[in-house]
Amino acid sequence: MRNDYYTNSKDYINRWVVSYADFVTMLLALFMVMFAISQLDNQKLMELQAKLQKTFSDTPQIENVTKYHKITEGDKSYSTQSLKMLFEQNLSQTKSIKLIKADRGLIVRVSDKMLFDEGSADIKPRSKKALGEIIKVLTKIDNPVIIEGHTDSVPIKNAKFPSNWELSTARATNIISYLTKTSKIPPKRLCAVGYGEYYPIADNTSISGRMLNRRVDIIVLGKDSN
């Protein structure tokens, strides 16, 4: 009886050796990782950091688009508030078009249902009246314009559009093509961007949310946003 008690007590007392061994093993692994990282030069570390940022970035970098569209002195450009007033005076009242003031300028948000059929980038004939009103305003000003195509998160894959990237980009490009063909707006004022489903403004899990996400944003850069 005494021998058993002695043996069990000894095993209990020596259990710290196992924990200590695990700690030493983890510490050794940490030193090995630190040593491996120290052997990389700064250029490789910068490349790794850039790749990680690109992989885990969820929000489109809008600044990369807008920085090439600066308003210069002498242009007949308008502030964001003035742009909003100008569009309000010239656009017909419709639920399919919303005017939103943003840091970049004025967003003329158009529902995709008004502009396109489902899964298509061809502009509907009935939407050309509204586009004509938008064009009428754009011809009066010199503000740069960015056309952004957006979709919901429902996947699309066919011979013409392998993904929502291609669909959203084609829609934005077709809007620009229509603007340049039906007006004298200088092409250098225009920019097309397709974001697919990666810049939602509502929850994609609901029908109403997906309807809001399917849109074209015509962004008129405000003079006061530069």
Side-chain angles (χ1 to χ4, degrees):
M1 183 72 178
R2 294 180 60 188
N3 291 337
D4 292 340
Y5 175 79
Y6 175 79
T7 301
N8 293 336
S9 299
K10 185 176 181 181
D11 290 341
Y12 177 79
I13 293 173
N14 290 335
R15 285 178 185 176
W16 67 271
V17 177
V18 177
S19 299
Y20 178 75
D22 290 341
F23 173 75
V24 172
T25 302
M26 289 188 292
L27 193 60
L28 178 61
L30 175 62
F31 287 149
M32 292 178 66
V33 171
M34 293 177 63
F35 176 76
I37 293 176
S38 69
Q39 301 306 305
L40 296 175
D41 56 32
N42 291 334
Q43 181 63 30
K44 290 183 179 180
L45 285 174
M46 292 176 63
E47 292 176 358
L48 176 61
Q49 181 182 12
K51 289 181 179 179
L52 290 174
Q53 289 177 345
K54 183 178 180 181
T55 300
F56 293 103
S57 177
D58 292 328
T59 305
Q61 298 301 310
I62 297 173
E63 293 79 8
N64 292 338
V65 176
T66 59
K67 70 179 182 180
Y68 296 109
H69 295 268
K70 299 299 183 182
I71 298 171
T72 58
E73 293 297 329
D75 288 346
K76 191 170 63 175
S77 302
Y78 289 73
S79 66
T80 302
Q81 180 61 34
S82 297
L83 287 170
K84 189 172 185 294
M85 295 175 59
L86 190 61
F87 274 95
E88 287 175 341
Q89 294 169 1
N90 289 273
L91 292 185
S92 302
Q93 296 295 326
T94 173
K95 295 181 180 180
S96 299
I97 300 179
K98 293 184 178 180
L99 302 177
I100 304 169
K101 291 174 62 177
D103 292 339
R104 294 180 289 167
L106 183 70
I107 301 175
V108 183
R109 180 160 291 162
V110 188
S111 168
D112 82 318
K113 187 176 181 180
M114 175 183 176
L115 293 171
F116 310 101
D117 288 325
E118 184 177 354
S120 173
D122 298 327
I123 300 174
K124 290 181 179 181
R126 68 180 184 181
S127 68
K128 293 181 179 179
K129 178 183 177 181
L131 286 176
E133 293 178 348
I134 294 174
I135 290 173
K136 183 179 178 181
V137 178
L138 294 180
T139 55
K140 296 178 180 180
I141 62 178
D142 293 331
N143 299 63
V145 179
I146 301 173
I147 312 295
E148 294 182 349
H150 300 270
T151 69
D152 59 25
S153 61
V154 178
I156 181 175
K157 187 174 183 180
N158 54 43
K160 193 170 185 180
F161 303 114
S163 72
N164 284 324
W165 282 113
E166 285 82 3
L167 176 60
S168 61
T169 302
R171 287 179 170 180
T173 304
N174 284 352
I175 294 293
I176 281 189
S177 178
Y178 183 78
L179 293 180
T180 55
K181 288 179 180 179
T182 58
S183 71
K184 296 182 180 180
I185 300 175
K188 66 180 181 179
R189 283 179 54 200
L190 305 174
C191 175
V193 186
Y195 285 124
E197 69 266 32
Y198 299 105
Y199 196 35
I201 57 173
D203 191 350
N204 270 308
T205 60
S206 65
I207 296 176
S208 59
R210 290 194 293 272
M211 288 179 62
L212 292 174
N213 290 331
R214 297 192 299 267
R215 69 197 190 277
V216 171
D217 283 348
I218 301 175
I219 302 172
V220 188
L221 302 185
K223 185 176 182 179
D224 49 345
S225 65
N226 282 255

